[in-house]
Amino acid sequence: MEVRERRVGVSGLTLRVREWPSAGSPIVLAHGLASNSRIWDDVASRLAERHHVVALDQRGHGLSDRPTDGFTFEKVVGDLIGVIDILRLDRPVLVGHSWGGNVVLEAAATHPDKVSGLVLVDGGFIELAAQPGRDWERVRVDMAPPDLSSLTFSELLERVQSGDASRYWSPAVEATLRTSFQDAPDGTIRPSLRREDHLEILRALWEQRPPALFPKIAVPTMIVPSRRPNPTGRMAEMAPIRERLVATAAATIPNARLLWLEDTVHDSPLQRPVELAEAIESVARAG
């Protein structure tokens, strides 16, 4: 089904929305930190056979406006609910990847009447403050975005293609990268999401407490974390912490199901679109 792009005015901002219109039940897709709506292209095209699918560039990301009033969860959830209202979507299934998972979790907890189901894709359980021995200043340093401003876009593509993405390269991967960066006058790239805004979102994640939201979720929920075999370095250190956070979410969210995506990188919408579309479809049926 053909995708339609539109600009939606909400919260004083203009947000870019990609829409696969259909008479089917609605599904709304929220991307992660420093990403954009194009990460969902391969998932959305499969869901669009039976559903009205909407993916948005969240504030400050992709082709959406940069806000002047910050990136708190209250503000970002307000954007999401505003898009749902403006497009007159009747209780969609909300799907969020990474930080977007935490966004849709908060939306479902605070606006239960707006949601029929929830899918948390390698996110929603993220609790930065739960990491032992790490205070905000260490998180701020460890998770700051890398400086890629010396690269051209072609050089960025070469770097990404030499890594994990070589196994699942597709037009959606390149489109996601292209929308995540802008070209500077000298031909190098700049992130669409500014560094200071990236850090502000990390601060909001640091302050959020997902376990306090889990019992408030009243709709069918699927938790879909990714797991890699034999992680090393920082990923090996984080693996048991992630598994504990996932287990807490699965045990605490009422009516939750858990689906681990094995041998899968964090950007699972790009690597595992078929499996994700099937998981989302199962929640849409349950809702």
Side-chain angles (χ1 to χ4, degrees), residues 85-204:
D85 288 344
I86 289 168
L87 298 185
R88 298 182 180 180
L89 303 176
D90 182 21
R91 299 186 69 238
V93 170
L94 297 185
V95 184
H97 173 236
S98 192
W99 163 64
N102 288 57
V103 172
V104 300
L105 175 77
E106 182 108 13
T110 55
H111 298 80
D113 58 319
K114 297 287 188 180
V115 184
S116 67
L118 195 61
V119 184
L120 307 177
V121 182
D122 218 25
F125 52 82
I126 298 170
E127 188 180 4
L128 298 184
Q131 300 173 12
R134 301 179 85 205
D135 58 14
W136 161 243
E137 286 306 317
R138 181 175 173 189
V139 169
R140 185 179 186 276
V141 171
D142 289 350
M143 299 188 69
D147 183 4
L148 302 173
S149 60
S150 65
L151 301 178
T152 65
F153 186 68
S154 294
E155 290 168 340
L156 175 68
L157 289 183
E158 290 177 8
R159 176 179 293 195
V160 175
Q161 282 181 307
S162 68
D164 288 323
S166 63
R167 295 188 291 156
Y168 55 87
W169 194 264
S170 72
V173 179
E174 184 166 347
T176 304
L177 287 169
R178 180 65 279 181
T179 311
S180 293
F181 292 91
Q182 302 169 357
D183 291 324
D186 64 356
T188 58
I189 56 173
R190 300 292 182 271
S192 298
L193 179 70
R194 298 188 187 187
R195 177 185 173 85
E196 59 266 34
D197 298 338
H198 190 121
L199 294 175
E200 187 174 344
I201 293 170
L202 287 177
R203 180 69 194 196

Side-chain angles (χ1 to χ4, degrees), residues 24-93:
S25 61
I27 295 172
V28 176
L29 308 171
H31 63 77
L33 176 58
S35 186
N36 60 80
S37 59
R38 299 302 302 267
I39 197 172
W40 294 110
D41 280 5
D42 289 341
V43 175
S45 63
R46 289 168 169 82
L47 292 171
E49 296 174 7
R50 288 177 294 278
H51 299 278
H52 182 168
V53 183
V54 171
L56 72 153
D57 286 354
Q58 300 200 68
R59 57 172 51 202
H61 290 74
L63 304 183
S64 288
D65 286 351
R66 180 177 185 251
T68 59
D69 58 350
F71 292 84
T72 65
F73 277 99
E74 180 181 6
K75 296 292 185 183
V76 179
V77 168
D79 297 343
L80 181 61
I81 298 301
V83 169
I84 291 171
D85 288 344
I86 289 168
L87 298 185
R88 298 182 180 180
L89 303 176
D90 182 21
R91 299 186 69 238
V93 170

Side-chain angles (χ1 to χ4, degrees), residues 215-238:
K216 300 179 181 180
I217 303 304
V219 296
T221 299
M222 178 78 81
I223 306 165
V224 194
S226 301
R227 184 158 52 192
R228 303 179 67 164
N230 305 315
T232 59
R234 179 71 183 150
M235 285 190 286
E237 178 186 344
M238 289 300 300

Side-chain angles (χ1 to χ4, degrees), residues 272-285:
R272 305 289 185 205
V274 174
E275 293 91 334
L276 277 181
E278 291 173 351
I280 296 165
E281 174 72 29
S282 72
V283 174
R285 289 196 301 268

